[in-house]
Amino acid sequence: MINFYDKNRFISKSTLAELADVSPRTFRRYLQSRRPILDAMGISPKAQKLPPQAVRYICEDYCIDLPPELQNQEALSKSPIYQNFLRMLQEREPFY
């Protein structure tokens, strides 16, 4: 899925760890390995919530798909890719 990042939404580290389906400790170790990049973005190691540019980097690097409620709804609803995806799901025959 393509993420449409909300430019005004900060997301907590624990939420990202949950979305990545890893423990908070594992996620903290991952963030430690990306410390030089996060430092260049001005992100403190003690920050509980991450700004949109950090969320974008982490989601792309760690392959995290944000649920629609955490994305920019306006951009998501107007996206042709997303609309085609929804259409394909609706046209698909259910398997039982």
Side-chain angles (χ1 to χ4, degrees):
M1 178 178 239
I2 294 176
N3 291 317
F4 292 91
Y5 305 97
D6 190 338
K7 296 176 184 173
N8 301 311
R9 184 182 296 263
F10 283 59
I11 301 178
S12 70
K13 290 178 183 177
S14 59
T15 300
L16 287 173
E18 190 176 304
L19 291 170
D21 200 26
V22 296
S23 72
R25 183 173 182 219
T26 299
F27 195 70
R28 280 193 306 272
R29 287 194 317 238
Y30 158 75
L31 291 176
Q32 282 287 334
S33 71
R34 302 303 191 265
R35 195 73 249 151
I37 296 166
L38 295 174
D39 284 341
M41 290 183 192
I43 312 300
S44 166
K46 295 185 181 193
Q48 293 300 310
K49 291 194 171 199
L50 299 171
Q53 73 269 18
V55 172
R56 180 180 188 136
Y57 168 74
I58 290 167
C59 287
E60 290 174 359
D61 190 50
Y62 210 83
C63 298
I64 298 173
D65 285 331
L66 293 177
E69 60 269 12
L70 294 178
Q71 298 189 41
N72 182 341
Q73 290 301 309
E74 186 177 332
L76 183 64
S77 65
K78 291 180 180 179
S79 166
I81 295 171
Y82 188 70
Q83 294 303 318
N84 288 339
F85 177 71
L86 288 178
R87 195 173 307 114
M88 284 176 22
L89 286 177
Q90 291 170 349
E91 292 172 356
R92 190 173 155 194
E93 291 186 31
F95 55 94
Y96 297 95

